[in-house]
Amino acid sequence: MARVSIISNGKLVRSIELGAGEMVIGRGDDVSIQLKHPLISRKHARLYLTPAGYIIEDSGTKNGTFVAGR
């Protein structure tokens, strides 16, 4: 099963197993993956599975969404 790893300052904070449904990432109380950080929006991005693999999509945030520094 696919996993997403949350890394902060070079250290693994947590690892989350991904399912087939959509997951919302943000600092709000009603999201699937909560990240308590001032640069993260309440509903920052969504992560979902397609036939080609997982896609992460920014929710139009001011700070953007990056994967592996890109």
Side-chain angles (χ1 to χ4, degrees), residues 1-40:
M1 182 59 66
R3 301 184 76 76
V4 65
S5 296
I6 310 299
I7 299 170
S8 180
N9 296 322
K11 295 182 181 181
L12 179 67
V13 175
R14 66 184 146 146
S15 181
I16 301 162
E17 189 171 309
L18 301 177
E22 179 178 293
M23 300 179 87
V24 176
I25 302 166
R27 63 178 166 79
D29 292 330
D30 60 342
V31 297
S32 310
I33 301 174
Q34 191 176 54
L35 303 174
K36 292 287 190 181
H37 190 281
L39 296 178
I40 302 291

Side-chain angles (χ1 to χ4, degrees), residues 38-57:
L39 296 178
I40 302 291
S41 300
R42 283 179 289 140
K43 291 188 177 174
H44 197 92
R46 68 185 189 113
L47 184 66
Y48 58 96
L49 182 61
T50 71
Y54 284 93
I55 302 240
I56 188 164
E57 183 176 79

